[in-house]
Amino acid sequence: MRFVLDGLHARRVTIFYLDASEYGNGLRDGLVEALAARGLTPLDEVGVIEQSPFARRVTTSLRRAAPEAVVVAGRSAEAAAIARAVHTVMPGVPVVVADAAVLNQAFITAVGPAASMVYGVTWWSPDLSDTTSRAFAARWRQVNGDTPSAADATALLRRRQAALAGQLAAADAGIERARDDLRGARAVDQAMHRSPLAASEEVAALHS
């Protein structure tokens, strides 16, 4: 949202987001929060359904309130369709798309004449010059034979996070088993310091 407010100097912002989607709803909430931090509220918030015709919803929203910028929290197909619809009604309004929209040649073709007013905002790009980014992009090209996109980097990061979560869960389970073994050992130790008859009964119970 910083680019929208400081780069485009927009204050009247309409948000289109992929409804019934964790990504779309989560990003919308983040955008609304970022606007609120600047004392602003969205001009309009419009949920769209994946792979459904929504040009009419876009047109209705723009005619209800004219924004200075449109932000799309959706994937490539939704972002391209919304950008085309915005360009038809208000050709001078910039459309900012998030990293779920892959800005490749297919996307540019799908956007058509609206491409000149579309801006992509992403957390990572293969064009970054830092050592880690260059190494990742080079390794990706070596393994996959193409240039990684922000979506590729995001998907890989989520897989790594899921794997780490699994490892942590397994470690937690191992720790809990160790605690159970320790509690059992302590119970045996305590039993051994009582009368021989009580100790033998408790040890037998633990191993039954």
Side-chain angles (χ1 to χ4, degrees):
M1 189 57 75
R2 184 181 304 169
F3 171 73
V4 175
L5 299 177
D6 299 335
L8 299 177
H9 305 290
R11 293 297 179 268
R12 294 166 56 86
V13 180
T14 290
I15 300 172
F16 292 95
Y17 63 96
L18 190 59
D19 204 1
S21 158
E22 182 179 356
Y23 173 82
N25 290 323
L27 187 52
R28 175 208 58 197
D29 293 344
L31 293 169
V32 171
E33 183 178 339
L35 285 171
R38 297 288 192 95
L40 302 170
T41 57
L43 197 62
D44 201 3
E45 299 176 46
V46 183
V48 298
I49 305 300
E50 188 175 7
Q51 297 180 344
S52 65
F54 41 76
R56 182 177 298 179
R57 302 195 72 182
V58 174
T59 301
T60 300
S61 172
L62 297 181
R63 289 177 175 169
R64 181 166 56 236
E68 296 172 332
V70 167
V71 180
V72 182
R75 302 183 179 91
S76 298
E78 297 82 34
I82 290 171
R84 290 197 307 270
V86 171
H87 187 74
T88 298
V89 180
M90 302 182 68
V93 172
V95 178
V96 180
V97 300
D99 54 10
V102 181
L103 304 184
N104 53 19
Q105 187 58 50
F107 178 81
I108 294 172
T109 300
V111 170
S116 63
M117 294 303 296
V118 175
Y119 298 84
V121 177
T122 180
W123 69 276
W124 183 84
S125 167
D127 299 324
L128 292 174
S129 59
D130 63 281
T131 303
T132 302
S133 292
R134 289 202 309 270
F136 169 72
R139 178 60 178 164
W140 181 278
R141 292 188 187 99
Q142 181 182 5
V143 173
N144 298 286
D146 59 5
T147 299
S149 66
D152 292 326
T154 300
L156 180 61
L157 178 62
R158 287 175 177 170
R159 288 197 296 271
R160 294 282 177 85
Q161 288 173 332
L164 179 59
Q167 293 170 2
L168 291 174
D172 287 342
I175 291 172
E176 190 58 35
R177 286 194 298 271
R179 286 173 176 166
D180 288 341
D181 291 344
L182 180 60
R183 284 193 288 267
R186 285 175 175 169
V188 171
D189 183 65
Q190 290 172 358
M192 294 299 292
H193 286 81
R194 297 174 188 168
S195 68
L197 178 60
S200 63
E201 290 176 349
E202 293 193 25
V203 171
L206 287 172
H207 291 283
S208 61

